[in-house]
Amino acid sequence: MNAPLIPTEDDLPAQPKVLLVDDDEVNLLLTSIALRERGFHITEATSGEQAMRTLTEWLPDVVVLDALMPGLDGFETCRQLRHLPGFESLPVLMLTGLDDDASITRAYEAGATDFFVKSTQWSLLAGRLRYLLRSARTRQELERNKARLARAQDLARMGSFDWRRGDGGPQFSAEGLRVFGRAPDEQLPFRTLLRMLPDDERNGLLTVLHEVIKHSSVLARDVTVTLLDGRRRIVHVEAEPEFNEHGNLIGYTGIVQDVTDRRVAEDKIKHLANFDGLTGLPNRRQLIWRTERALEHARRLGHQVALLLIDLDRFKVINDTLGHSAGDELLMEVSRRLRSCVRHSDQVMESSLEAMGSRSHRTLEAVGRLGGDEFVALLPEVADERDAERVAKRILDLMREPIFVGGQECFVTASVGIALYPRDGATMADVLRNADVAMYAVKSGGRNSATLYSPMLAGKGREKLELETDLHKALEREELVLHYQPKIDVRSARMIGAEALMRWRRGGQLVPPGDFIPLAEETGLINPFSEWAIREAARQARLWQESFGFAESIAVNLPSRLFERTDLVEHIHNAVNAFGVPHHSIQLEITETGLMKELQSVIPALHRLNEIGVEISIDDFGTGYSSLAYLTTLPISELKIDRSFVRDLGLTPASKAIVTAIISLARALGLRVVAEGVESLRQMEALHKEGCWLMQGYLFSRPQPAEDIEAWLLQTVLPRKAPWIGKVGEADLSDALRPAAPRAKPAG
C-alpha cells in the first residue's frame, strides 16, 4: 500500500526530538520550556561548537539555530552540519531577530530549511516546527520513491526521456543514458544517437519518426544500437505525445529499455519452435508455414510448386545395429547433404518475407525434417516436373556416397516421392499426401529411386489402406481359413502329412497370399494370425483323426520372429491339449533365410520345441546363402527342396546336381527330405530316381479346404485313380511298408 505524500499528524513521532541552539541562556530556557509543554523533546546547546559535537553522536528530528552567536554562528553551524553524512535533508529552522532580506537570503544559502523571527509566540513556533517535520517526512518519502524507481529502472535496464518541440533532441534521465552506455551527466545529442544505429536501420527510423510526429501518434519500435565499447544492443523505444490546452502537440514523453536478452530468448524460443533440434533444419511446423506461403505466391503469380518427400531406406538397420548416437550422426550428415542440393534459406519471419518484393517466395526454398528419417524438400517455383526430377536425382546421387558413422562406413539410400502444385493438389495437405503416396510406391518398387505422383498410384495406395483396414478385422470376422496341401509318399501312394496354408476369404472371395501375407508381416498381424493357424491346425488334426485315422503331422509356416517369443511352446502345448492330439501333430516350418537371419535368437526355442515332440522343417532349402554347419547342431527333422530346383529338374544339369546334393546331405544326417512344387510325372520320376520319395505339389493336389482333402482321399487316392499312382515301380512298395530308420541325434 503506497504511503501518502503528505503525512498526517499521526505520522510524526510522539515527541519530536529537537536540538535547540542559542547562546542567550534566558531565551534558551524560555524557548525550551515552551516547546516541552507542546510535546517536544528538547536537547540544548549554547554554542555552535557544542551543537556540532552533539550531532556527531545523536540525530535529532529537527534543529533550531540562533543565527547570531559568538564563535561559530548559526549560519556557519548550518553550513557545516549539511556536510555531515545523513544530515543533508535534516530540517533546520533558523531563529533570528533580524528581519531584513539579506539575513533571510543568507540563512537559505547556508542550507536552512526555513527561518523564524524570535518572539514569544511559542504556539506559532511549535506549529512551524511540526510543519517542517511533515515537509521533511514528505521529502524523504519522495526521495525513497525516486530511489526505488531508479533502482527498478536500473534492474529493468530502462530509462526515461522527454522531447519538446524547439528544444533540440530528447533529454534522457540518468537511467536512460545508462541504457546507451553513457554517464549520468553526459549529453546525448540526436545526431550522436542516430550514428549509433546501423546504416540500414537509420533511414527507416527517421521515416517512422516523421510519420509519428506528423500524425501525433504513439511511437513503439525496437532499434539496434552500437555502444562505445562496440557491443550491439537492442533498445525498445516507446513514447506518447503530449498536448497543450489548445490540443497542439508540444512534445513526447517516453522510455527506452535494453531488451537484448529478451529478444535473444525470444529468438531462441522461435528457433526451437521452428527448427529441428538435432539437424537444425526447419521442422514440420516451419515446413507447413513455408509451403503454405509458397502456394499463396504460386496462386498469385501462376507458377508451380514442387514438394519432394525423402525417406531413408536403411536407417533403422543402422540405428539398431550401431546405436542411437550413430543414428543421430547419420541424420546430421544426411541433412548436410540434402541442404547442399537446394538453395536452402533459414528465413522464417513473415515481415522480412513480404519486404523482399514479388520474388520473395524463392527464399522459402529449403529442406526440412518432417520427423524420424523423413525429410521434405520444398521448391517454391519450378517450371515443370523436370526441375523437380533434377533435384531428386542430385539427392539420390549424393545419398549413394558412403557415410562414416560410429567409426564405420555405411551406405544409406533414399526413396523420393514428388508431387506438384496445382497438378497434384490445391492445398499443402493434398500435395504432401500425394508426395507420400509416390514415395511409398518407390518403396514398394525396390527403393533407391524417385517417382512422380500419379492418380494411378493413389488408387493403389487407397486399395492398400482398405486392404490393411479389413485385414485388421479378418480374425474378428472369422474370414481366415486354412487350405491343406498333402505330402505324398509316392512309393505307397499314401498321404504322410499336410502343409497348412493360410487363406483370406474377403467379401466372399479369396485374397491371394502374396497380397496379404507381406502386409500382415509389415503390420505385425502375422503373429496373431500364426497363433490362430496353430490352433486351427490342431483342431483339424483332431477331426481327421476321428474321420479316417489321421496320425501324421500338419505343418504350419511361422515367421522367424515368432520363434523368439517365450510363450510359443506354451501356446502349442495349450492348442494340442485343447483338442486332445499329441504334440507331434503340429510341425513347424521356417524358411532357411528366416532361420539364418535370426539363428542365434531362435536356437533356444527350437530346442524347447524338440523336447515336447514338435518337429521342425526347413522350408525353401537351398535358397539361403549360409553355412550348412547348423544342420548338424540344430534339432531339425525335415528339409524341403525349394520348388525352383524341382522346376528345372531333368532340364538343367545344375538343378539335378543341387537336388542330388540336398538328398545326399539329408540322408547322411538322417533327415527326411520333401520336394515341393512337383507338377509333372517327369519331375516325380527324376526325384524318385535320386532317392526322394516324399513330395508335394499340383501333380498330387492343389491346396484345398479340409473337407475337399477327405473327398480327394476317398475318390482319388484310395481307389488308386490318380495318374501318378504306380508310376514309380511296384518294386518299391515293400520298401515303403518298412518303418523308417530312426533319425540320428544331432551332434553336440
Side-chain angles (χ1 to χ4, degrees):
M1 189 170 179
N2 294 330
L5 294 179
I6 300 177
T8 64
E9 192 75 7
D10 293 337
D11 293 321
L12 298 178
Q15 276 192 310
K17 295 175 291 183
V18 179
L19 175 62
L20 182 60
V21 186
D22 197 332
D23 65 310
D24 186 337
E25 294 185 1
V26 174
N27 192 45
L28 179 64
L29 178 62
L30 293 174
T31 306
S32 177
I33 292 171
L35 291 178
R36 284 193 179 97
E37 290 175 348
R38 287 165 176 77
F40 291 90
H41 175 79
I42 305 299
T43 299
E44 300 173 355
T46 57
S47 66
E49 291 84 356
Q50 184 183 0
M52 292 302 298
R53 287 194 296 271
T54 302
L55 289 174
T56 58
E57 300 176 354
W58 176 64
L59 177 63
D61 294 317
V62 63
V63 176
V64 180
L65 279 173
D66 184 13
L68 299 178
M69 293 184 297
L72 197 64
D73 63 10
F75 301 110
E76 186 58 31
T77 302
C78 183
R79 194 173 288 110
Q80 288 188 17
L81 73 84
R82 287 299 184 210
H83 289 90
L84 294 176
F87 287 81
E88 298 86 355
S89 300
L90 180 69
V92 176
L93 181 67
M94 193 75 73
L95 291 179
T96 177
L98 306 175
D99 56 357
D100 59 287
D101 293 341
S103 297
I104 296 171
T105 302
R106 188 180 174 193
Y108 283 129
E109 288 176 350
T113 310
D114 204 351
F115 74 97
F116 189 80
V117 177
K118 284 184 178 181
S119 69
T120 58
Q121 297 177 338
W122 308 118
S123 295
L124 186 61
L125 175 61
R128 180 64 62 86
L129 289 176
R130 294 190 183 280
Y131 174 77
L132 285 180
L133 288 170
R134 284 196 296 272
S135 298
R137 183 63 58 85
T138 300
R139 185 169 57 254
Q140 290 171 0
E141 188 64 30
L142 288 173
E143 290 296 330
R144 280 196 294 268
N145 287 338
K146 183 179 178 181
R148 290 192 196 102
L149 177 61
R151 179 58 178 162
Q153 289 183 343
D154 192 42
L155 291 173
R157 299 180 182 178
M158 179 188 295
S160 59
F161 70 90
D162 287 304
W163 173 75
R164 293 290 177 267
R165 274 190 156 177
D167 289 351
Q171 299 297 314
F172 291 95
S173 66
E175 293 77 19
L177 290 169
R178 193 177 297 117
V179 168
F180 294 101
R182 305 288 172 141
D185 55 350
E186 194 172 348
Q187 294 297 316
L188 186 57
F190 188 62
R191 289 184 179 276
T192 303
L193 184 60
L194 284 177
R195 283 196 291 269
M196 297 174 69
L197 273 65
D199 294 340
D200 55 346
E201 287 192 32
R202 191 176 303 148
N203 292 334
L205 178 62
L206 286 172
T207 301
V208 170
L209 290 176
H210 286 143
E211 288 297 314
V212 165
I213 295 173
K214 178 180 178 182
H215 298 96
S216 300
S217 57
V218 174
L219 171 67
R221 187 179 178 89
D222 289 350
V223 295
T224 303
V225 297
T226 303
L227 306 187
L228 292 175
D229 58 7
R231 289 181 300 150
R232 293 198 116 189
R233 310 297 292 177
I234 300 172
V235 176
H236 177 71
V237 182
E238 193 165 324
E240 292 187 350
E242 291 189 355
F243 305 93
N244 59 18
E245 61 274 12
H246 303 294
N248 297 322
L249 179 70
I250 59 173
Y252 274 84
T253 299
I255 59 98
V256 289
Q257 183 179 16
D258 187 335
V259 294
T260 308
D261 294 342
R262 188 186 74 194
R263 282 286 299 275
V264 169
E266 289 174 352
D267 291 343
K268 185 175 182 180
I269 292 171
K270 185 178 294 184
H271 189 276
L272 291 173
N274 289 280
F275 289 85
D276 177 54
L278 176 65
T279 63
L281 296 178
N283 60 15
R284 175 184 289 271
R285 180 178 182 274
Q286 174 68 189
L287 282 170
I288 292 173
W289 182 87
R290 287 179 185 243
T291 306
E292 288 175 345
R293 299 293 84 71
L295 296 187
E296 289 174 8
H297 282 270
R299 290 187 196 101
R300 189 163 64 247
L301 301 176
H303 59 256
Q304 298 185 78
V305 176
L307 213 59
L308 282 64
L309 185 60
I310 306 150
D311 188 88
L312 304 185
D313 291 332
R314 297 183 63 251
F315 174 72
K316 188 177 186 305
V317 175
I318 293 174
N319 201 43
D320 293 346
T321 304
L322 301 181
H324 292 292
S325 59
D328 290 346
E329 282 185 52
L330 175 65
L331 291 174
M332 288 188 285
E333 174 59 22
V334 166
S335 67
R336 187 191 65 77
R337 294 187 183 188
L338 292 177
R339 283 178 70 124
S340 69
C341 295
V342 300
R343 294 188 296 269
H344 185 89
S345 171
D346 285 332
Q347 174 282 122
V348 296
M349 296 299 296
E350 180 137 18
S351 57
S352 60
L353 176 67
E354 297 303 327
M356 298 180 67
S358 62
R359 292 298 175 188
S360 60
H361 62 278
R362 292 177 178 174
T363 64
L364 294 167
E365 183 167 329
V367 169
R369 186 184 179 196
L370 200 60
D373 60 344
E374 279 191 329
F375 298 83
V376 170
L378 170 63
L379 308 180
E381 182 177 353
V382 292
D384 52 37
E385 61 190 37
R386 286 173 295 182
D387 286 347
E389 288 177 322
R390 278 192 289 270
V391 174
K393 185 178 184 302
R394 282 202 302 270
I395 290 172
L396 292 173
D397 290 343
L398 206 55
M399 292 302 299
R400 291 187 184 108
E401 296 179 6
I403 296 178
F404 287 88
V405 293
Q408 183 169 336
E409 184 181 55
C410 302
F411 289 88
V412 179
T413 57
S415 299
V416 183
I418 307 170
L420 300 178
Y421 166 86
R423 187 188 74 181
D424 301 327
T427 66
M428 185 272 177
D430 292 338
V431 178
L432 182 60
R433 181 182 63 249
N434 290 333
D436 190 55
V437 169
M439 185 271 291
Y440 273 105
V442 176
K443 292 278 189 185
S444 302
R447 308 171 188 244
N448 191 21
S449 184
T451 193
L452 287 160
Y453 168 81
S454 70
M456 183 177 65
L457 295 178
K460 290 181 179 179
R462 280 193 294 271
E463 288 176 9
K464 182 179 179 182
L465 181 61
E466 292 172 1
L467 194 70
E468 181 179 337
T469 301
D470 289 346
L471 192 60
H472 275 84
K473 302 175 182 178
L475 269 179
E476 177 187 338
R477 295 172 176 173
E478 298 183 349
E479 294 177 340
L480 294 181
V481 295
L482 289 183
H483 283 192
Y484 300 89
Q485 187 172 36
K487 294 180 181 179
I488 302 297
D489 186 337
V490 297
R491 296 171 301 174
S492 59
R494 183 170 60 89
M495 185 175 81
I496 50 88
E499 180 180 358
L501 300 166
M502 196 179 302
R503 297 291 185 264
W504 179 21
R505 188 181 292 113
R506 180 191 183 210
Q509 294 185 339
L510 288 178
V511 180
D515 289 349
F516 79 89
I517 293 296
L519 187 58
E521 292 178 344
E522 180 182 332
T523 58
L525 290 172
I526 194 66
N527 289 347
F529 286 5
S530 298
E531 293 172 356
W532 169 85
I534 291 172
R535 187 175 179 84
E536 180 64 15
R539 186 187 69 85
Q540 190 58 53
R542 176 67 180 185
L543 292 177
W544 280 348
Q545 179 183 329
E546 295 173 351
S547 179
F548 56 88
F550 180 78
E552 307 296 340
S553 60
I554 296 178
V556 179
N557 292 278
L558 291 189
S560 57
R561 72 178 74 168
L562 207 61
F563 284 89
E564 299 177 28
R565 293 184 49 167
T566 57
D567 61 347
L568 177 60
V569 173
E570 181 182 358
H571 185 79
I572 294 175
H573 182 73
N574 292 338
V576 297
N577 284 345
F579 296 103
V581 294
H583 286 80
H584 71 77
S585 298
I586 300 297
Q587 183 185 54
L588 300 181
E589 288 191 6
I590 181 172
T591 63
E592 182 184 17
T593 303
L595 174 64
M596 298 312 299
K597 182 179 178 182
E598 309 289 347
L599 182 60
Q600 295 303 318
S601 58
V602 304
I603 286 177
L606 296 182
H607 282 288
R608 289 196 300 271
L609 291 166
N610 184 60
E611 289 170 2
I612 66 172
V614 177
E615 293 188 339
I616 306 298
S617 174
I618 306 300
D619 198 10
D620 300 337
F621 187 78
T623 59
Y625 299 91
S626 59
S627 168
L628 299 179
Y630 69 90
L631 292 177
T632 65
T633 59
L634 295 181
I636 299 167
S637 303
E638 181 179 279
L639 300 181
K640 298 185 74 174
I641 303 173
D642 186 68
R643 66 185 65 246
S644 61
F645 304 125
V646 174
R647 182 182 60 243
D648 298 331
L649 195 59
L651 299 177
T652 63
S655 294
K656 180 178 182 296
I658 292 174
V659 169
T660 301
I662 293 174
I663 294 171
S664 299
L665 178 65
R667 184 176 297 166
L669 295 174
L671 304 177
R672 287 191 309 273
V673 61
V674 178
E676 54 184 349
V678 179
E679 299 180 356
S680 67
L681 291 173
R682 170 184 55 79
Q683 294 169 344
M684 183 187 74
E685 291 171 352
L687 286 165
H688 181 262
K689 286 179 182 178
E690 296 300 327
C692 177
W693 304 296
L694 307 182
M695 308 178 195
Q696 68 180 102
Y698 285 2
L699 175 63
F700 313 105
S701 172
R702 290 176 176 272
Q704 303 178 71
E707 57 272 18
D708 293 344
I709 292 295
E710 292 187 43
W712 169 78
L713 284 170
L714 292 172
Q715 299 170 13
T716 303
V717 178
L718 292 179
R720 303 182 69 80
K721 293 181 179 179
W724 50 270
I725 296 178
K727 296 296 182 180
V728 296
E730 296 295 331
D732 295 321
L733 184 57
S734 59
D735 293 336
L737 297 176
R738 285 190 301 217
R743 181 204 164 197
K745 289 285 185 181

